[in-house]
Amino acid sequence: MKDWWIYKGEGQAEKRLDRLAVHRPDWRVFDGEIDEDYTVPVLSEADQERGAGYIAEAPEIDLVNTALLLRRPLLVTGVPGVGKSTLAHSIAEDLGLGPVLRWTVTSRTTLRDGLYRYDALRRLEDANLRRLSAPGRRRREGSLLRRLEGARWRRIEWEPGAEGTSGIGRYLQLGPLGTAFVPTARPRVLLIDEIDKGDIDLPGDLLTVLEEGHFDIPELVRMSDDSPQVSVSTDDQSGLARITNGRVRCHAFPIVVLTSNGEREFPPAFLRRCIRLNLPLPNEDKLHRILVRRIGQEAADAARAEGGVIDTFLKRRSSGELATDQLLNAVQLRLAGAWTAPGDLGRLAEATMHRLSGPDAQ
């Protein structure tokens, strides 16, 4: 343990976070006004167990803390199943920062998906329903009504603000990235999973937000003169966040963990602003420690015996990609009394250790 570590450092989490708040680069200072009405949810017991089960080695801890102190994203690479996503949960658990905000990227993902969602169609329908149900209403000349399913009607014309300017908040929800930028005293942990699967422009678009520490919601900016403050729901369903003049500006820069399976390269400008961590495949000793942490000493020792489950796992991994959770599945099955006969180990491996890549992948 090193005295400069925040993650996995010495002392209570609150004191380590206080040190993190003090040691910040002058060029990475963010001044969002803390939203006192927004409460970060408590980490669930299941999330606590998941984070506590991660075994971090000293080189990993060094790089995580480098990213924390510099307020930079941590780009984590490695083969699937090596623990990239679990690292984010470990950070949240160790520092007591609430549930991880997870944004899973696909080929169709855009930056706005992570920032916020606006249900314009529902707002339009609600406005028309209010207008149609208003007592003594009179059909405006020139308006157009269309019949939809059954007796429902929708007015094609719509007057913005008919429900009151503050009502737009009901139709907005911050995404995982947007929620991470809600101004709170302590940083949130944001997991941007499999960013290498996204559109080629996504890293560059994301870079702007991560550099500035804020973003605007155009739908709120346009009406900021009439309604400077609007409350919207958040991705973690923990209540409402207050947005002023359409801008979400962080106070404590979020701890951003990006994962990549190495399916494509990233632009140099993006890589330059990330702290890069590559997670190696766990060796026999680390696999044993993982089993001890997750399942127990006795089962881990039995799996490590000569010719046991760990040996079988390592031999199969030498000719094709395997994930650590496949080893956990095999050991768990044996604990349940399955495949325990001396000649069953090969059949257990065939059932739980399918190679994920290589010539023998199935």
Side-chain angles (χ1 to χ4, degrees), residues 8-68:
K8 297 296 183 183
E10 186 177 1
Q12 297 180 344
E14 281 296 318
K15 293 184 177 179
R16 286 181 278 148
L17 289 169
D18 287 341
R19 286 197 288 119
L20 177 64
V22 170
H23 297 291
R24 59 182 182 179
D26 291 341
W27 58 90
R28 299 291 289 166
V29 175
F30 305 97
D31 59 356
E33 182 180 352
I34 295 176
D35 186 349
E36 301 290 353
D37 296 328
Y38 174 73
T39 303
V40 176
V42 177
L43 200 64
S44 69
E45 184 176 343
D47 285 337
Q48 289 180 23
E49 292 180 0
R50 181 176 183 182
Y54 184 83
I55 298 177
E57 306 291 354
E60 301 167 26
I61 300 174
D62 281 342
L63 290 174
V64 170
N65 283 292
T66 298
L68 294 185

Side-chain angles (χ1 to χ4, degrees), residues 158-173:
W158 172 57
E159 294 181 30
E163 82 283 17
T165 52
S166 62
I168 191 175
R170 292 183 295 166
Y171 309 101
L172 283 163
Q173 181 182 25

Side-chain angles (χ1 to χ4, degrees), residues 3-280:
D3 57 4
W4 62 278
W5 283 356
I6 305 297
Y7 168 63
K8 297 296 183 183
E10 186 177 1
Q12 297 180 344
E14 281 296 318
K15 293 184 177 179
R16 286 181 278 148
L17 289 169
D18 287 341
R19 286 197 288 119
L20 177 64
V22 170
H23 297 291
R24 59 182 182 179
D26 291 341
W27 58 90
R28 299 291 289 166
V29 175
F30 305 97
D31 59 356
E33 182 180 352
I34 295 176
D35 186 349
E36 301 290 353
D37 296 328
Y38 174 73
T39 303
V40 176
V42 177
L43 200 64
S44 69
E45 184 176 343
D47 285 337
Q48 289 180 23
E49 292 180 0
R50 181 176 183 182
Y54 184 83
I55 298 177
E57 306 291 354
E60 301 167 26
I61 300 174
D62 281 342
L63 290 174
V64 170
N65 283 292
T66 298
L68 294 185
L69 289 167
L70 293 178
R71 275 63 171 180
R72 290 296 184 186
L74 181 69
L75 177 59
V76 187
T77 57
V79 300
V82 79
K84 301 186 295 295
S85 300
T86 309
L87 174 58
H89 291 271
S90 175
I91 297 170
E93 186 276 332
D94 181 70
L95 295 174
L97 296 175
V100 172
L101 297 163
R102 182 168 189 158
W103 181 24
T104 302
V105 175
T106 70
S107 60
R108 298 179 299 275
T109 298
T110 65
L111 179 64
R112 175 168 162 168
D113 295 329
L115 294 175
Y116 72 98
R117 294 178 288 274
Y118 173 48
D119 194 344
L121 179 59
R122 182 185 165 197
R123 186 185 181 199
L124 174 63
E125 291 179 339
D126 286 354
N128 285 323
L129 286 173
R130 281 191 297 272
R131 183 176 300 176
L132 291 168
S133 60
R137 69 172 183 84
R138 299 171 63 183
R139 181 178 300 182
R140 294 177 55 195
E141 185 176 351
S143 66
L144 176 63
L145 297 175
R146 282 188 184 167
R147 193 177 193 97
L148 296 179
E149 304 165 3
R152 289 187 62 198
W153 294 79
R154 184 178 71 183
R155 185 181 299 275
I156 302 304
E157 296 177 355
W158 172 57
E159 294 181 30
E163 82 283 17
T165 52
S166 62
I168 191 175
R170 292 183 295 166
Y171 309 101
L172 283 163
Q173 181 182 25
L174 295 179
L177 176 58
T179 302
F181 277 79
V182 172
T184 53
R186 301 302 193 194
R188 297 295 302 272
V189 178
L190 170 66
L191 171 61
I192 304 179
D193 207 13
E194 299 185 334
I195 189 173
D196 52 327
K197 290 186 177 179
D199 182 81
I200 192 171
D201 294 326
L202 181 60
D205 296 339
L206 180 62
L207 184 61
T208 302
V209 177
L210 296 180
E211 280 294 296
E212 299 296 331
H214 65 76
F215 68 94
D216 292 335
I217 299 178
E219 291 83 357
L220 297 183
V221 172
R222 287 194 294 267
M223 58 192 307
S224 58
D225 289 341
D226 295 326
S227 185
Q229 288 194 343
V230 176
S231 295
V232 304
S233 60
T234 57
D235 186 73
D236 53 15
Q237 304 294 324
S238 64
L240 300 177
R242 186 178 65 250
I243 298 175
T244 302
N245 296 325
R247 173 164 290 185
V248 182
R249 184 193 299 272
C250 72
H251 177 82
F253 187 76
I255 300 171
V256 183
V257 178
L258 306 107
T259 72
S260 169
N261 294 326
E263 294 186 5
R264 67 176 177 86
E265 295 182 353
F266 297 106
F270 178 77
L271 293 176
R272 180 169 62 87
R273 291 169 172 84
C274 294
I275 304 300
R276 301 169 69 177
L277 166 63
N278 182 67
L279 294 182

